[in-house]
Amino acid sequence: MSPTLRLWISPNVCSLGPHILVNESSLPFSLIEIDVIKSGFPSEYAHINPKKRVPILELDDQVITEGTAIMTAIAQLASEKRLLGKTDLEVVRTYEWLNWISGTLHAQAFGGLFRPARFVNDEGLFDIVRERSKQTIHDCYTYINGKLEGKNWLVGDGFTAADAFVLIFYRWGVQVGFGMENDYPNFTRLVGALEERPSVKAALDREGLQPLFHGSGKSSI
């Protein structure tokens, strides 16, 4: 019997990665959508995740939090899809990407840009934190772009959870004014390929997000 999966998401945040991956899995699932950007995490759901964060995966009677753990659970349930990679080494490389994206690009770089109060108490220093965070974001994008030189995907020769996870951070770069297409062309090429996948199209549509590219190679936002 198939497990019961309920994935908690919010539009335009890091839960997009698990949303894409569960679409890729072909597993039956349901979505619960809350808008943490507009309203924060609803206090009435704090008993489900005391961290007050999305994504959340309810797997039968278990509650799983943290994006990497959730994507691991999804990939294990659809092992034939090889969503973490095709070989043992590719699985290791996928986790290498997931940990770095989560810890450095997300928590450190965008965390400093969007929420400088997490790093300093003095509001007079917020702009300094934001500017340093922008440099860290640029450094991360440059690293991703370099790793994609001559490659179509982050790991091996096919789609993995790492590709699903990194998409939202490209989108955030566009939204905050980075010159994504000109400065990071390999990263841009990956995003174009991702947006051709039915799993990505479905996730963007469900979250009310416009694709960045419409076959012209030019950003639509």
Side-chain angles (χ1 to χ4, degrees), residues 12 14 32 51 64-66 76 94-95 97 109 120 133 144 149 188 211:
N12 201 37
C14 63
I32 298 177
K51 300 172 188 175
I64 301 170
T65 65
E66 303 300 325
Q76 288 176 338
T94 297
Y95 278 115
W97 276 111
V120 293
S133 297
I144 293 167
E149 186 67 37
T188 298

Side-chain angles (χ1 to χ4, degrees), residues 95-143:
Y95 278 115
E96 184 177 39
W97 276 111
L98 294 176
N99 286 337
W100 178 79
I101 292 168
S102 178
T104 302
L105 179 54
H106 189 191
Q108 180 182 333
F110 275 104
L113 180 62
F114 292 156
R115 295 183 174 86
R118 290 182 177 177
F119 297 86
V120 293
N121 293 323
D122 185 349
E123 291 187 15
L125 298 176
F126 282 5
D127 285 344
I128 294 174
V129 173
R130 291 188 182 103
E131 287 305 309
R132 184 63 187 88
S133 297
K134 288 179 182 178
Q135 180 61 50
T136 303
I137 293 167
H138 165 71
D139 293 344
C140 289
Y141 287 163
T142 300
Y143 177 77

Side-chain angles (χ1 to χ4, degrees), residues 150-168:
K151 295 182 59 181
N152 293 324
W153 307 99
L154 288 176
V155 177
D157 61 0
F159 170 90
T160 66
D163 303 299
F165 194 31
V166 83
L167 175 58
I168 190 62

Side-chain angles (χ1 to χ4, degrees), residues 3-215:
T4 300
L5 298 177
R6 291 207 305 173
L7 180 65
W8 294 61
I9 64 166
S10 179
N12 201 37
V13 303
C14 63
S15 56
L16 179 62
H19 189 181
I20 292 168
L21 206 69
V22 77
N23 285 343
E24 286 276 349
S25 75
S26 299
L27 295 165
F29 69 96
S30 60
L31 284 178
I32 298 177
E33 183 177 319
I34 56 178
D35 196 330
V36 298
I37 294 177
K38 289 184 179 179
S39 308
F41 191 92
S43 58
E44 62 265 32
Y45 298 135
H47 67 285
I48 296 174
N49 183 9
K51 300 172 188 175
K52 299 182 180 180
R53 298 283 190 273
V54 292
I56 304 166
L57 179 65
E58 292 183 86
L59 172 56
D60 291 333
D61 61 349
Q62 297 294 312
V63 175
I64 301 170
T65 65
E66 303 300 325
T68 297
I70 289 169
M71 287 187 283
T72 299
I74 293 168
Q76 288 176 338
L77 290 169
S79 58
E80 74 283 357
K81 300 280 187 175
R82 305 290 182 89
L83 296 173
L84 293 173
K86 298 175 183 176
T87 68
D88 289 346
L89 181 58
E90 286 187 6
V91 172
V92 170
R93 292 301 186 193
T94 297
Y95 278 115
E96 184 177 39
W97 276 111
L98 294 176
N99 286 337
W100 178 79
I101 292 168
S102 178
T104 302
L105 179 54
H106 189 191
Q108 180 182 333
F110 275 104
L113 180 62
F114 292 156
R115 295 183 174 86
R118 290 182 177 177
F119 297 86
V120 293
N121 293 323
D122 185 349
E123 291 187 15
L125 298 176
F126 282 5
D127 285 344
I128 294 174
V129 173
R130 291 188 182 103
E131 287 305 309
R132 184 63 187 88
S133 297
K134 288 179 182 178
Q135 180 61 50
T136 303
I137 293 167
H138 165 71
D139 293 344
C140 289
Y141 287 163
T142 300
Y143 177 77
I144 293 167
N145 195 70
K147 285 292 187 178
L148 285 167
E149 186 67 37
K151 295 182 59 181
N152 293 324
W153 307 99
L154 288 176
V155 177
D157 61 0
F159 170 90
T160 66
D163 303 299
F165 194 31
V166 83
L167 175 58
I168 190 62
F169 303 103
Y170 184 100
R171 294 181 62 89
W172 286 356
V174 173
Q175 291 165 18
V176 300
F178 280 84
M180 302 302 292
E181 294 178 60
N182 291 330
D183 294 342
Y184 319 105
N186 296 328
F187 195 3
T188 298
R189 177 169 45 80
L190 170 64
V191 170
L194 285 169
E195 289 193 346
E196 292 298 316
R197 299 182 75 83
S199 63
V200 175
K201 292 179 180 179
L204 293 176
D205 183 66
R206 177 62 177 79
E207 297 190 22
L209 303 175
Q210 290 292 320
L212 297 176
F213 303 103
H214 295 285

